Amino acid sequence: DVKVTQSSRYLVKRTGEKVFLECVQDMDHENMFWYRQDPGLGLRLIYFSYDVKMKEKGDIPEGYSVSREKKERFSLILESASTNQTSMYLCASIPGVGSYEQYFGPGTRLTVT
Amino acid sequence: ILNVEQSPQSLHVQEGDSTNFTCSFPSSNFYALHWYRWETAKSPEALFVMTLNGDEKKKGRISATLNTKEGYSYLYIKGSQPEDSATYLCAFGSEMDSWGKLQFGAGTQVVVTP
């Protein structure tokens, strides 16, 4: 079974803090994705990565950066957290290019106060 | 602006009743249409990945149809059970997008009451 894990289920941070969200997958998947989910808006893509050290901006990259130093790990970084980044963050992975189903982590509910 | 729209936003179903809901997506540059089920406190899980016009897929009491020419897909739940309570997400994959990117709808929240 593919397993995608995220470092925290719930996180509370203060405005201006640097926040790291970690995602790890154990099935040697090539592509990894970070989404945020807000009520009524669906999952919106923040960044994705198609190989180690390779990344592409998604639809809403502003205020975020990512790091992929190892194939299994994809980190989302909030350089200076703001209250409008309070959201549910989901990580996903797929084996490679193609119409593969995405495998999701359980999500991190981030609250920025 | 969501290019992928799901309706209704939520629905309540009595146990044993059947139900269906819709996903509409762009009819051009179609590559794939995904359905996911997202139960509370769990990870979203794939139900179906559909790639051909006219595709019909089935998993237990849940089935889906696909019309790529008019840009819609239906998800059906037959004989709903409380364990079917979840948010159902559809996602559109475009030929114009690379690397397996998907555009997600906002979801249909299904509540099945005993």
Side-chain angles (χ1 to χ4, degrees), chain B residues 16-114:
Chain B
D17 287 351
S18 297
T19 188
N20 65 83
F21 37 94
T22 309
C23 172
S24 61
F25 51 87
S27 56
S28 57
N29 301 311
F30 177 86
Y31 188 64
L33 192 283
H34 296 218
W35 281 101
Y36 293 85
R37 175 167 59 197
W38 192 3
E39 296 177 68
T40 302
K42 294 186 178 180
S43 309
E45 288 186 338
L47 288 170
F48 308 113
V49 177
M50 308 170 81
T51 57
L52 297 175
N53 184 43
D55 251 357
E56 293 188 20
K57 299 251 182 178
K58 187 175 180 182
K59 183 182 285 190
R61 294 178 291 98
I62 301 177
S63 60
T65 60
L66 178 67
N67 183 322
T68 62
K69 295 188 186 308
E70 296 182 40
Y72 64 84
S73 175
Y74 292 124
L75 193 84
Y76 300 88
I77 305 176
K78 184 177 178 182
S80 303
Q81 298 297 310
E83 59 264 31
D84 296 326
S85 296
T87 297
Y88 292 81
L89 301 172
C90 74
F92 168 70
S94 169
E95 284 184 327
M96 307 303 291
D97 285 327
S98 57
W99 310 114
K101 286 171 58 180
L102 298 173
Q103 298 173 46
F104 282 83
T108 293
Q109 184 181 26
V110 174
V111 177
V112 181
T113 49

Side-chain angles (χ1 to χ4, degrees), chain A:
Chain A
D1 267 356
V2 177
K3 194 166 183 181
V4 181
T5 56
Q6 295 183 228
S7 49
S8 305
R9 292 299 300 269
Y10 299 93
L11 207 52
V12 180
K13 295 291 182 180
R14 292 193 181 274
T15 301
E17 280 193 81
K18 190 169 186 175
V19 181
F20 293 86
L21 302 182
E22 305 285 341
C23 175
V24 178
Q25 50 90 6
D26 65 359
M27 288 300 291
D28 203 36
H29 281 182
E30 300 288 333
N31 298 3
M32 297 184 74
F33 305 83
W34 273 107
Y35 298 93
R36 62 178 283 176
Q37 194 264 339
D38 300 289
L41 293 179
L43 297 180
R44 292 182 292 166
L45 182 64
I46 305 170
Y47 266 96
F48 67 100
S49 169
Y50 51 91
D51 201 351
V52 175
K53 296 188 187 295
M54 305 303 288
K55 59 191 178 187
E56 291 277 346
K57 293 179 181 179
D59 299 318
I60 50 164
E62 295 79 18
Y64 303 94
S65 62
V66 290
S67 172
R68 194 165 180 203
E69 297 296 319
K70 294 185 177 181
K71 192 174 185 179
E72 67 270 19
R73 187 181 298 268
F74 191 34
S75 302
L76 180 70
I77 304 157
L78 287 65
E79 297 290 343
S80 177
S82 64
T83 55
N84 62 13
Q85 292 178 311
T86 291
S87 187
M88 168 70 85
Y89 290 88
L90 285 160
C91 173
S93 71
I94 60 174
V97 177
S99 56
Y100 298 104
E101 64 182 83
Q102 295 200 0
Y103 292 86
F104 285 89
T108 296
R109 171 80 60 188
L110 173 67
T111 302
V112 183
T113 61

